[in-house]
Amino acid sequence: MPETTGDPFLLLEVLGTIAFAVSGGAVAVRAGMDWLGVMVLAVVTAVGGGTVRDLLLGITPVSWIESPWPIAVALAAGVLVIALGHRVPHLALDSRSAVLVADAAGLAAFTVTGTFVALAAGVSGWIAVVLGVVTGAGGGVIRDVLARQRPLILVGQIYALAALLGAAVVVGLDAAGAGEGLTRWLAVAVVLLVRLAAIRWQWTLPSFEPQDGQPRDE
Amino acid sequence: MPETTGDPFLLLEVLGTIAFAVSGGAVAVRAGMDWLGVMVLAVVTAVGGGTVRDLLLGITPVSWIESPWPIAVALAAGVLVIALGHRVPHLALDSRSAVLVADAAGLAAFTVTGTFVALAAGVSGWIAVVLGVVTGAGGGVIRDVLARQRPLILVGQIYALAALLGAAVVVGLDAAGAGEGLTRWLAVAVVLLVRLAAIRWQWTLPSFEPQDGQPRDE
Amino acid sequence: MPETTGDPFLLLEVLGTIAFAVSGGAVAVRAGMDWLGVMVLAVVTAVGGGTVRDLLLGITPVSWIESPWPIAVALAAGVLVIALGHRVPHLALDSRSAVLVADAAGLAAFTVTGTFVALAAGVSGWIAVVLGVVTGAGGGVIRDVLARQRPLILVGQIYALAALLGAAVVVGLDAAGAGEGLTRWLAVAVVLLVRLAAIRWQWTLPSFEPQDGQPRDE
């Protein structure tokens, strides 16, 4: 994904990759997986969304095969989770403030990048929004399926919605002829603000009560 | 997928898309998801099977990126489910007769279309049957995985089997040189008849007893 | 996958396909699925890993569409599982010694083939290792997700690790200029030895305790 090193946007993507990997690893720790399971969930969470986007668009080999730094970064983050998971079993890394903020940065970076990739592939605007959300939020869904949790982004938090708004900003500004740099950073700001405000004030989307003895989490 | 508007087959596909989306949304409501979760499950259930087929065949970008009407239809159906889900929480939309019939229509339309797409891609007859079943039944499997239910099509109802028979009819008539129109409607009739008869007389496939404290549903 | 019949490596792949299909079918029996569910899990477990590898690399149509013998073999194994599952409900086919050994053979064959396919596609060495592990272990993950089990390869057994070591041997020897035949059989031996030793002496990877009322299996 990153084309120019030194790009501040790259920093955002690296930060987001670390945060996504940490969230995947932390879920694996809580689910009682082994070390390799932690590594697998770290990697899958970090690259899952972009992988699904690439497959849907027909961009193959998928991006991390061509440019594998996210795998390396995610593996390093997985090692960190394993080390901390043994020393501080109930640390719940993925609900620490620092990780939540970094995760919001990742959501922003991945969503914006994903939307641009989709637009560059020539898809229509609203399909680009769909693919931007898939890029930003898809990894978390795969993580939750593998760890047998209810996909958290679908059960009340403002998460995918922040991605949706950011992707819409990208498409809107792009259609209005705004420059890519401006568009990118404005959209990142929207995702970050919405997501961080949702965490801070515990905004939720309206949701339904589970019925018929459906499993609940936590 | 639909090339000519006014095509009665298109009507079947639209009807099926609505029914599949309603079934996805209804499962999300029962699982206690939020509004966005309902929309996601509506869309994924409606387009999931065709998406997997396209990916396996290497038809990319996948069909709904090129021709996105099923996404729009599924989103509209999702909004309907949300509205009804709040007013009549225990309506169980996806077990209403009208929805079951429309779902059967969707299963028929998607399976038949999927089998034709596979044959057009030059695959052998029985692999076309496999891909037809994937197209018709795949969305429901993804829905159930995301909602953490046992994949319903694998636990006793005659569902995928109806698709299997319809796909086999397509391949058989195609090999026998029958015209596409005749083949299409005969195969649709087979899927519909088998599926509706299975619902009416509660036909089931033989199944095994869950063992060792495996989770049961409902 | 197999190019030359009479190839002893082909024998290994057929054996592995049968064992993977049996493991998928046996999980379906225990989960209380119907006959079609057993067939679906048999097929998906047998071809799932190679399918994901092909999709990630952009090798489409995926290999079993071009060369469908693994589907046929898996379906035959599924029929066997159904027959035995009704006669001997608690046989637990997938924990029989013969099936475990055949499964180890399949893990070895699929991992080695997958790593070679990735190298042939021109990916870097360590990404080839990743794709080799995906090929060998991916089918089991899909099986467990569909049967709503915790992915067994992520919760303590030495399974994916055996694949990882074998894939690393392929990449290492290939880089060192060793012939393909030697590389292939040495790597197979490594996977087999590690996996069988892990079964024999119950080697496990360090793992974490499940927290917060997470579901446990068995």
Side-chain angles (χ1 to χ4, degrees):
Chain A
M1 272 168 278
E3 269 122 38
T4 42
T5 50
D7 183 353
F9 203 80
L10 174 58
L11 181 67
L12 216 62
E13 293 199 326
V14 173
L15 204 65
T17 301
I18 295 171
F20 277 27
V22 166
S23 97
V27 166
V29 166
R30 271 205 301 283
M33 293 189 176
D34 65 31
W35 288 4
L36 201 58
V38 174
M39 300 304 269
V40 168
L41 256 76
V43 168
V44 161
T45 307
V47 305
T51 300
V52 174
R53 175 206 62 216
D54 287 349
L55 292 177
L56 294 173
L57 283 169
I59 299 174
T60 52
V62 299
S63 58
W64 54 264
I65 290 181
E66 300 285 288
S67 168
W69 68 265
I71 307 275
V73 168
L75 290 173
V79 170
L80 178 80
V81 170
I82 290 171
L84 286 171
H86 277 294
R87 289 160 151 259
V88 201
H90 288 273
L91 181 56
L93 268 178
D94 53 347
S95 57
R96 298 285 114 183
S97 300
V99 174
L100 282 177
V101 173
D103 182 88
L107 181 67
F110 288 178
T111 301
V112 171
T113 302
T115 312
F116 272 116
V117 168
L119 287 174
V123 313
S124 62
W126 66 282
I127 292 293
V129 171
V130 170
L131 292 169
V133 175
V134 165
T135 309
V141 171
I142 300 175
R143 171 198 67 205
D144 292 343
V145 165
L146 290 181
R148 302 199 307 160
Q149 298 193 338
R150 272 201 304 177
L152 291 183
I153 69 151
L154 306 178
V155 291
Q157 283 192 46
I158 304 282
Y159 191 91
L161 184 63
L164 186 66
L165 295 172
V169 167
V170 171
V171 171
L173 290 181
D174 183 75
E180 183 173 329
L182 175 70
T183 301
R184 179 168 288 213
W185 289 106
L186 269 178
V188 162
V190 167
V191 179
L192 268 177
L193 283 177
V194 173
R195 177 67 189 135
L196 293 177
I199 293 171
R200 173 69 184 79
W201 289 289
Q202 304 195 302
W203 290 349
T204 55
L205 273 179
S207 66
F208 295 91
E209 276 300 299
Q211 294 169 26
D212 323 308
Q214 293 270 340
R216 290 224 64 149
D217 311 270
E218 285 94 293
Chain B
M1 273 168 274
E3 270 122 38
T4 44
T5 50
D7 182 355
F9 203 79
L10 173 58
L11 181 67
L12 215 64
E13 292 199 327
V14 173
L15 204 67
T17 301
I18 295 171
F20 278 27
V22 166
S23 97
V27 166
V29 166
R30 270 205 301 283
M33 294 189 175
D34 65 32
W35 288 4
L36 201 60
V38 174
M39 302 302 268
V40 168
L41 254 76
V43 167
V44 161
T45 308
V47 305
T51 300
V52 174
R53 175 205 63 216
D54 286 349
L55 292 178
L56 294 172
L57 284 169
I59 299 174
T60 53
V62 299
S63 58
W64 54 263
I65 290 182
E66 299 285 287
S67 168
W69 68 266
I71 307 276
V73 169
L75 290 173
V79 170
L80 178 81
V81 171
I82 289 171
L84 286 171
H86 277 294
R87 289 158 151 259
V88 202
H90 288 273
L91 181 56
L93 268 177
D94 53 346
S95 56
R96 298 286 115 183
S97 301
V99 174
L100 282 176
V101 172
D103 181 87
L107 181 68
F110 289 179
T111 301
V112 171
T113 301
T115 312
F116 272 116
V117 168
L119 286 175
V123 313
S124 62
W126 66 281
I127 291 294
V129 171
V130 170
L131 292 170
V133 175
V134 165
T135 309
V141 172
I142 300 175
R143 173 199 66 207
D144 292 343
V145 166
L146 290 180
R148 303 199 306 161
Q149 297 193 340
R150 272 201 305 176
L152 292 182
I153 69 150
L154 306 178
V155 292
Q157 282 192 46
I158 304 283
Y159 192 92
L161 184 62
L164 186 65
L165 295 173
V169 167
V170 171
V171 170
L173 290 181
D174 183 75
E180 182 173 329
L182 175 72
T183 300
R184 178 167 288 211
W185 289 105
L186 268 177
V188 162
V190 166
V191 178
L192 269 177
L193 284 177
V194 172
R195 176 69 189 134
L196 293 178
I199 293 171
R200 174 70 185 76
W201 289 289
Q202 304 195 301
W203 291 348
T204 55
L205 273 179
S207 67
F208 295 91
E209 276 300 299
Q211 294 168 26
D212 322 311
Q214 293 270 338
R216 290 223 66 146
D217 312 88
E218 285 92 298
Chain C
M1 269 170 278
E3 269 121 39
T4 42
T5 49
D7 183 354
F9 203 79
L10 174 58
L11 181 66
L12 215 64
E13 293 198 326
V14 173
L15 204 66
T17 301
I18 296 171
F20 277 27
V22 166
S23 96
V27 166
V29 167
R30 270 204 301 284
M33 294 189 175
D34 64 31
W35 288 5
L36 202 59
V38 174
M39 301 303 269
V40 168
L41 255 76
V43 168
V44 161
T45 308
V47 305
T51 300
V52 174
R53 175 206 62 216
D54 287 348
L55 292 177
L56 294 173
L57 283 168
I59 299 174
T60 53
V62 298
S63 57
W64 54 265
I65 290 181
E66 300 285 287
S67 168
W69 68 265
I71 307 276
V73 168
L75 289 174
V79 170
L80 178 81
V81 171
I82 290 171
L84 286 171
H86 278 293
R87 290 160 150 257
V88 201
H90 288 273
L91 181 56
L93 269 177
D94 53 345
S95 56
R96 297 285 115 183
S97 301
V99 174
L100 283 176
V101 172
D103 182 88
L107 182 67
F110 289 179
T111 301
V112 171
T113 302
T115 312
F116 272 115
V117 168
L119 286 175
V123 313
S124 63
W126 66 281
I127 291 294
V129 171
V130 170
L131 292 169
V133 175
V134 165
T135 309
V141 172
I142 301 175
R143 172 198 66 206
D144 291 343
V145 166
L146 290 181
R148 303 199 305 161
Q149 297 192 340
R150 272 202 303 178
L152 291 183
I153 69 151
L154 306 178
V155 292
Q157 283 192 46
I158 304 284
Y159 191 92
L161 184 63
L164 187 66
L165 296 173
V169 167
V170 171
V171 171
L173 290 180
D174 183 74
E180 182 173 328
L182 175 71
T183 300
R184 178 167 287 211
W185 290 106
L186 268 178
V188 162
V190 166
V191 179
L192 268 177
L193 284 177
V194 172
R195 177 66 189 134
L196 293 178
I199 293 171
R200 172 70 184 78
W201 288 289
Q202 304 195 301
W203 291 348
T204 55
L205 273 178
S207 67
F208 295 91
E209 276 299 300
Q211 294 168 24
D212 323 309
Q214 293 270 337
R216 291 224 64 147
D217 311 274
E218 292 98 290

